[in-house]
Amino acid sequence: MEEGKKAGALLDVRGLRKYFELSGGQRVHAVERVSFSLESGRTLGIVGESGCGKSTLARTIIRIYEPTEGQIYFQGQEITKLSQRSLQPLRKDVQMIFQDPYASLNARMTVRDIIAEPLFAHKMVKSREEAAGLVYPMLEKVGLSREHLNRYAHEFSGGQRQRIGIARALILKPALVICDEPISALDVSIQAQIVNLLKDFQEESGCAYLFIAHDLSMVRYVSDEVGVMYLGQLVEIGEAEEIYEKPLHPYTKGLLESIPIADPKRAREKEKSSIEGDIPSPIHPPSGCRFHTRCPFRKAVCEEEQPPLKKLGNAHFCACHLYD
Ligand code: SF4
C-alpha cells in the first residue's frame, strides 16, 4: 500500500500521520502512516478496538484535525494543505454522520431548518420554498414524515435523530460520506434500518462511504473492502469477503474470533483464541510490530522491526512478519 496515488480513486490517502503533542514533550501517536484508496460507489469499513485511531483517521481525512504528515487526495486534488477557505467548496461533497446525532443537531432549530441549513450554506437554494422542495422528499426517504418538520431534536428517539442527521448529510448529494460509528448508539432493532437506508442511498447516488464501526458483523454487511486498524496503524486491508473468510493478521483473526456466537460450545472454543490484554498506550507504542505485546505468534524480529504492509493476495495487504 505504499505505492503512489491510485488513478481514478475518489479518495486517496498516502502515509497519513496524526500526532497530538502533549505537555512535557510527549506525543500521542494516533494515526501512523496509513495509506488506502476508495472509489466511488464503494464502502470501506474500518474496524478495530476503541482507541485504535479509527475516528482520528476520519477526522484527519476531512481536516477537522490537521495532518502531521502524508497526503490526502480527494477527486484527484491534493487537499492536505488547502486552507479552510479553499476547502469550503469541497465541504459540500464530503459529509459526516456522527455516532451521537443529538450532539450534532442544533437544539434550537426545527427539523425543517436543520435539514435545510446546509442547502443555504452551500448556496444550493435561494428560497425557503425551493429548500422545501428538497427537504420533503429527503424526509420521506429517511423514514420521517412532514408532521416532524416543525419539531425539535429533543422530541425524537435516538433512531429518529440519526435519521435527521442522515437527511442533513445526504441532502447535499455528497460524493463521500464518513460514517463515524453511526449505529453504535442505537438499539439493535434500529441499526439494520439505518444501515439499509445508507445502502439504498448509495445505490441511488453512487456515493462512497468510509464506514467506521466496531460491530464486525455490520461492517461485513455494508462493506466492499475492510481495513483493520491497530494502535494507529492499518495492519490488514482487502476485499471484505476475503478479510472475513481468510484473515491473515493475528489481530484480525483475534477480532473475528471475538464476534459473539449463539452456540455455547463454539463460543467457549472461541474464547480461548480471542485477543488477550489491553491495547497499549499510543503515547508509548511498542517497538517493532505494535501488536507484539499481545500476539501469540510473535518472533524475535517482531519486537525490533516494524512489518511493512505487503501485498499477499489479490488486493489483500497485511503487515506481519509471519509472511516475510
Ligand atoms: Fe504477531 Fe509478529 Fe505478526 Fe506482529 S509481526 S502480528 S507480533 S507475528
Side-chain angles (χ1 to χ4, degrees), residues 235 248-251 288-303 305-307 318-324:
V235 296
L248 296 173
H249 198 282
Y251 179 60
C289 169
R290 290 187 174 185
F291 188 55
H292 84 251
T293 54
R294 302 168 79 190
C295 179
F297 305 102
R298 69 179 165 270
K299 312 187 273 184
V301 66
C302 302
E303 292 179 37
E305 286 176 31
Q306 202 173 101
C318 176
C320 175
H321 287 305
L322 289 179
Y323 308 98
D324 281 351

Side-chain angles (χ1 to χ4, degrees), residues 43-59:
T43 298
L44 170 64
I46 301 281
V47 297
E49 292 160 289
S50 58
C52 72
K54 306 184 294 279
S55 292
T56 305
L57 172 66
R59 285 168 161 74

Side-chain angles (χ1 to χ4, degrees), residues 53 63 74 85 101 140 173 202 213 247 278-279 284 288 292 315 324:
R63 301 273 313 277
F74 178 67
R85 195 190 168 97
E140 275 163 19
K173 297 200 168 57
Q202 184 176 50
D278 295 325
I279 193 162
H284 301 292
H292 84 251
D324 281 351

Side-chain angles (χ1 to χ4, degrees), residues 114-133:
I114 288 171
I115 301 175
E117 190 188 38
L119 293 171
F120 288 104
H122 291 281
K123 300 188 171 49
M124 289 172 71
V125 293
K126 291 196 181 75
S127 65
R128 283 178 71 83
E129 291 68 35
E130 203 183 338

